[in-house]
Amino acid sequence: MDFELSEEQRAIAEMAGSLMSDYCTDERLRDWDLCGQAYMQDLWHSCVQTGLHALAIPEAAGGSGLGMTELVQILDAQGGALAQVPLWRHQLAATTLAQFGDKALAPWVEQAVAGSGLLTLSLDGLNTVRGIELEASAEEGGWRLDGRVAALALAEQSVAALVLARVMGQPRLVLVDLSQSGISRVAGVMTHGEAIADLDLRGVTLSNQQVLPAAALDWLAPRAIASLAALQLGVSAEQVHRTVAYVSERQQFGRCIGSFQAVQMSMADTHVHLEVLRSALWQLCYRLDAGLPAPSQALATAYLACEAGHRIGHTAQHVHGGIGVDLTYPIHRFLYWSRALSCALGGSSMILERLGDWLSDNTTLGWKYDLDEHQAL
């Protein structure tokens, strides 16, 4: 087996890494905290110019037509730099519309490819105690939406959103034009700086084309998990890197604290969590790009991302000591991002519950039983 990335994939990763790290210096991140922008607009324009914003959108729709393997590398770089740009939501929303939407929805995809209009999405209804709070009721010529969408990312800056609604009792993705009447917003900001808004929808009308088939949700959900896990991988990897550098320099009792066995063991544990997440994420990407089902692999990756974010984040804060809680020192931002990503994934307990439900309904355990050579057993 060849586990090496192709030259094209390495070039994409290097370009994204340079673009993100060059822009997101610690000084610029401090300035951005105070600037009041919803996202890093200059960096987003650079992403549009280099095509990173449309990497996973099909070629037939004007994108690059690449897969999750390439997108994950971009998001890994984004997480490491803590770059506030809407890369994964924008292009996964556009890709979902391109693959499952009617031709009537093509103008939304064209805007996304051109970078002239942002798309956003939310699958939080799958992960929260409240569940899906948006109800679609049939009416002549289409549907009527009533209910709520909580904490929709860049809701005030996006032109349209893919959100979850209950359609005839089943969860479905629906495309909502955010400029329609009947939508009220309560704006807010997540702890890590992402602009959000709660949406209240009353009597919002949809055409039949704006309700996507059930297969669209099955396609999008594991890719959303892979995207969030890739961001967490980047955040945690940089967190470990910075913490190792810190303990190699910080002196206590006449020696660097990195020479203490307890610190060494703690940092070794963070490395294990990081590599376990990396392995699970790459396996998930392989299956998604190969067109193989991956419901359990997605949930396992989501759980490992939550665990890595929590354990690596708190170990890094602990090892940094008092300076870790100083907001003028940059390490706190990585913990904020980890907590936000864990919330977006749903949290470890909820994911384990969903994985347990899946296992109770399936008699085969582990990825290998899905391969052709095991089907005859």
Side-chain angles (χ1 to χ4, degrees), residues 78-126:
Q78 180 186 352
L82 306 184
Q84 287 285 4
V85 284
L87 277 170
W88 77 270
R89 289 188 178 91
H90 176 77
Q91 58 189 301
L92 282 189
T95 303
T96 304
L97 292 177
Q99 296 212 39
F100 298 95
D102 187 87
K103 289 182 179 179
L105 305 182
W108 297 109
V109 182
E110 293 170 2
Q111 283 190 67
V113 173
S116 58
L118 280 179
L119 298 181
T120 187
L121 64 84
S122 173
L123 299 180
D124 288 354
L126 298 175

Side-chain angles (χ1 to χ4, degrees), residues 204-251:
V204 174
T205 58
L206 299 179
S207 66
N208 288 320
Q209 291 83 1
Q210 287 174 267
V211 178
L212 299 189
L217 178 56
D218 294 334
W219 183 90
L220 178 59
R223 286 166 174 79
I225 287 175
S227 299
L228 290 166
L231 287 171
Q232 184 60 68
L233 180 65
V235 169
S236 293
E238 181 64 16
Q239 206 170 21
V240 170
H241 173 76
R242 287 177 178 243
T243 305
V244 168
Y246 176 79
V247 300
S248 299
E249 298 174 356
R250 175 77 165 88
Q251 296 284 323

Side-chain angles (χ1 to χ4, degrees), residues 291-312:
L292 297 171
S296 59
Q297 290 82 359
L299 291 173
T301 301
Y303 171 75
L304 292 170
C306 290
E307 287 294 288
H310 175 77
R311 295 179 183 275
I312 292 174

